[in-house]
Each structure stands twice: as structure tokens, then as C-alpha cells.
Amino acid sequence: MSETTIESILQEKRLFAPCSEFSQNANIKSFAEYQQLYEQSISDPEGFWANLAETELDWFQKWDRVLDWQPPFAKWFVNGKINISYNCLDRHLTTWRKNKAAIIWEGEPGDSRTLTYAQLHREVCQMANVFKQLGVKKGDRVGIYMPMIPEAAIAMLACARIGAPHSVVFGGFSAEALKARLQDAEAKLVVTADGGFRKDKVVPLKDALDEALSNNGVPSVENVLVVQRTKQTINMQEGRDHWWHELHAQASINCPPEPMDSEDLLFILYTSGTTGKPKGVVHTTGGYNLYTHITTKWAFDLKDTDVYWCTADVGWITGHSYIVYGPLSNGATSLMYEGAPRASNPGCFWDVIEKYGVTIFYTAPTAIRAFIKMGDEHPNARDLSSLRILGTVGEPINPEAWMWYHKVIGGERCPIVDTWWQTETGGFMITPLPGATSTKPGSATRPFPGIIADVVDLEGNSVGNNQGGYLVIKHPWPSMMRTVYKDDDRFRRTYWEHILPKNGKYLYFAGDGARKDEDGYFWIMGRVDDVMNISGHRIGTMEVESALVSHPAVAEAAVVGRPDELKGEDVYAFVTLEGSYQPSEALKEELKKHVVKEIGAIARPGEIRFADALPKTRSGKIIRRFLRNLAAGQELVGDISTMEDLSVLDKLREGA
Ligand code: WT7
């Protein structure tokens, strides 16, 4: 983050207006209506949010103040009492939605389940009672390490019901990564499954958890609740481990929702940063409930007739906000799919759309690029005519992938909502509203009502149209992260001290570069910090470096992202070896495996390059800029005068 502006080259002029029939039936029907909402939300933000909180959610007790903003700390709906599981479940039971499908689930082997709101409510109450029986009290943290099965959502809602913050760890993370997260959250209970099915393999979740907990690895964990999914043989530790189906059978179906303070902790979700240690992003209850609710309703134009499918995993924020909380708060039908497209079934997503008549489909650019590669014959062989809206998230979508999505999947009839947001923002920040916003391929378009977004230089001054700069948010919003778990200082440093306006105002900056075009459309240019975006997920370069140097052969490691056709970015590692080790292909493989073991398959380096030395400044900092150029096979650009030893570069170039 040294340059004050960022060069922007992408120029895309195609414009797609929503068709009038779509707009007429939409929740937000025109650009004028969006503009009016936006103006209102900016001129009186507190009135705007209070009105929505009142009309869209059920509260046990009304708030005294809408917003308490002591930068960078925000409180929303101060002293309001609410329970998000009540808003996602109980309130629908007094309406016709009681017997509407809340979750439609499809397992990878082809098994399936549907839970109505009444059934889901019952399951959640039962699991919440089991949590209580296992000693979980309001405020205790619960770890969730699950495959994509309904019990993952049930466990989250059960936590919310009794006021026990959850910390979901993505099932693809390794035992080491799981351990670090459970330790930081000091989880008292962990909910897991024997395993899950993914890409025709069994993911051994319980084994990984056993490893994380071995040698008293996470002393806070008292109990483990195990859901049976794959029926593989696992170890059950007497006294600590309990089968869900055994406790479920005796659990009462009555469990009143705990009245939570609007600012009570709802969940912690760990995300990668520029330093080695993942950050525990803290989200609280009332504001998060409201914001995920209203963004789902407006950006997906949600209707009671919709079958809505978000392909994310519940282990990521997308799964939290847009599989579980946002859709269920609206009383929608949310589809969950356990599997992933795989060689044995490249058309599985299209089968699911056809089978259930999915109307709203939300996925990631990395998946879209993979579908393009697999061939049009797969979607073309299925009936996708039920679709009416498409969504994308995770990284900038290349205009050609957007066009393919529009034509081949959307039949040129479905608006595409390209939603820019982050783990930290809780919900969509910049997104089209499908009946109101004309879209441009590759642009996330305009800020959601209530969001003041801008592109600025390092001093917080707005840059001109089409100038690259830093994407910031200038006013608090209800679902913003409240802090880094147990580390207010890191929260301040990471998000609020990069851009420093002279007037002392606080601007939220979480690492993306962007430009705004002459129509006020935002074009996200990707991360400007040392964070890679691999298949739509953030992995810190430092995290991979720490994993590499924990191997005895590695003296020093520098990791950069390299552009990758499918994944967006791929991990590229430069490694120097300890004296007694010799470079070899076998060692490369061993180091790749080591990273998978330490972090998970998502961080597996695509390429490892051995070097004699790494390029450094005189103060000893690795100059990543050069390494990025080298990894991408480009000429080195930029100032080399600060380099300590110029011969290092020549050697690296020769080795290419
Ligand atoms: C980072 C946040 C938010 C859920 C998925 C990832 C990138 C996300 C977009 C988009 C361009 C995007 C950004 C952001 N990103 N959505 N529509 N266009 N870039 O959550 O792991 O917190 O990552 O993903 O770089 O900062 P996350």
C-alpha cells in the first residue's frame, strides 16, 4: 500500500437494463425508487434504519437509541432486545409459512431432505436443549465444524437461540487451523460430524477435530457433539463425545428464545489478514439481523414463491448471511447442497436447479470459470428456465465470465447481481438491485441504501472519476463488524488507520482498490494488501509463510498471489532452504503437503520456487512487488534503489 493512487485499465461499456416486466414485479421497482431510498438513507440514516428495524423485525423490547457511534466503535439499536432465531423461525409459525420449506437439502450422494419452518424450529429447539444439557450457557462460545448438512444451520440457530456465540470453522480447514480458531474463541462445545461427502470423497471431520483436541490442545473444550453423516468408523471419547441422534431422541422440543441485547455477540468468524494470525471478526445481533434481512430482500428481490440457492459453504460469511440468517429471517426457502461440481458429475449444479426449480442462484466467479471450462453442454442439457436472478460474489468477475453467465445460465433474461462485500461488512455493500439498477459486466454497480462508499487517496480525499484509489465506507452501517475478538487495538489498526483524513474523520478500509466511473458505478480492482484471493477466499500471505517456515527444511519463505485462470489467484511461494537441505521436486511436494496440513487444501501452493536469497530492502523487509512480477512472469517494475543486494534479483530471474 505504498502508491497513493492505483492504475486502472479495465474499460467496459456494455449496459444491461432490467426488463420492464421484471421491474414492475420487483420489490424495488425503478432506479428512481432506489435513488429515493438512497437519498433518504443518507439524509436521515437513523430514521431510515429505525423504520426498517420496526417494520421488518420482531423485537422483545424496543431500542432507546438507534446508533451510538464512538469511532471506530458502533452500537446499533442500543438496549433493544431481540433474538435472531426467533426472527428466523418462531415468527413464521403463526403464518401460512409454518409448513413452507425453510431448508431444502441435497446431499452429494443424491439423498435429500426438506425441513419446513415448523420442523426446523423443532430441530433447533431440540439441539438448543442438548447444548444446555451439555453445560452451554448464554455467552459461552460453541465451535461448529461441519459438512454442508442441515444440522450445520440447525447448530448455528440453536446457538443464537440460547445466546451462545458460534464460531463456524470451514470444514476444509485442517486440524491445525481448526485448533488455532477454537483456542482463540475458547470454545466450550464443538459440534461436528463423523464426516462429509465432497467431490466423491469422505472428509474426515471428526478425525481432524480429534487431532486438534489431542494433548489437551484446546483446554476450554468440554464436550463434542457428533452428527452422524457418513457412518464411517470414528473414535468416540467417553465422557467428552456424544452422538447427536442419541441425545436428540430425548431432547425436549420446547426452548424459549433468549432475549438478547441488540449488541450481544452473535458470532465470531475468522478471516485472514496481513499478519499470520487469523482475525476473529465479531458480529452482534440486532444490526446484523436487520442488514442481512433487508439486503436479501432487496438485492435478491426475494418473494415467497422463490427457491433460493446460494452455493457457498456455511463456514464462510456468505453462508452465514445468505444461506442461513438473511433468507430465513425473510421466511424464504433456502437450498443447501452438500457437494461440489466434480469430474464424475460436472452437471450436478444444473441438476439441482432443474430438480427443485431454483429461481435465484448465487455463486462465485471461480465456479463460473470452472463451468465455462467444463463446457456448455452440461447446462444446455438441463432445463434452467426456472431461474430469474443470478448472483456472484468473492472476487471481481471478468466481463467475459459475466457474459457467459448471462447467456448460458441466465438465458439473457436474468439480472445479475454482483455483490461486493466482506466478512467484516456482514452483508452486501455495493450491489445492483435487480429491478432498479442497470448492470455493466464486471461492476458491482452502486452502494446499497445506507452505505456511503467512496474511492479515496491515502489522505481520504475523493479521487476523480475513473481514477483508481482505496475503497472506503464513510458512515457506520448496522452489520459492520464490531471489533476483532478480544483485540480492539487490532481492530483499530487494521481497518481504521490506513486512510487518515486530515479532519480526523474515521474511514473504514478493508483492503480493496477500486475506481468509480462517470456514472457512479464502482469497479473493484482487488486487494491492495498482502492478502491473496484464492477461489474467492482470503488467504493471508503471512499465514502461508508461517506454515512454510514451520517445516524444518525452510529457512525463509515469501508468498505472493499469481494470477490464475480458474482460481483468480494461486499461491506462489519463494523459499530458501536450511543449510543441510537440497532443492528437489520431492521436497517441493513435501512442502505443498505441509501447507495443506497446516492450513488446508485451499492454501496449497500452486508453485514453489527455491532461491538462494529473497529480495529485501536495507531495513530487511521482503520486497513483494518484485516477487509478484516474477511469479506472474512479468518484467520487474518499480524502484530498486532501496534494495540491499541487487545480485539477488539477477539470480531469481535466472532461475525463472
Ligand atoms: C474480499 C472479501 C463477502 C463474501 C465472500 C468473500 C473480494 C468479494 C467481491 C465482488 C470484487 C469481491 C474483495 C473483498 N470480493 N466480493 N463482488 N467483486 N471483489 O468474503 O473472504 O471476507 O473476502 O473478497 O477483495 O475484500 P471475504
Coordinates of all heavy atoms in Angstrom, one line a residue, residues 17 104 157 389:
A17 N -30.1 -3.1 -19.0 CA -31.2 -2.5 -18.2 C -32.1 -3.7 -17.8 O -32.3 -4.6 -18.6 CB -31.9 -1.5 -19.0
I104 N -34.3 -26.7 1.9 CA -34.3 -27.9 1.0 C -32.8 -28.3 0.9 O -32.0 -27.5 0.6 CB -34.8 -27.6 -0.4 CG1 -36.3 -27.2 -0.3 CG2 -34.6 -28.7 -1.3 CD1 -36.8 -26.8 -1.7
L157 N -28.4 -21.8 14.5 CA -29.6 -21.3 15.0 C -29.9 -21.6 16.5 O -30.4 -20.9 17.3 CB -30.8 -21.7 14.2 CG -30.9 -21.1 12.8 CD1 -31.8 -21.9 11.8 CD2 -31.3 -19.6 12.8
I389 N -33.0 -14.8 -11.3 CA -32.0 -13.9 -10.8 C -30.7 -14.7 -10.6 O -30.7 -15.8 -10.1 CB -32.3 -13.2 -9.5 CG1 -33.5 -12.3 -9.7 CG2 -31.1 -12.3 -9.0 CD1 -34.0 -11.6 -8.4

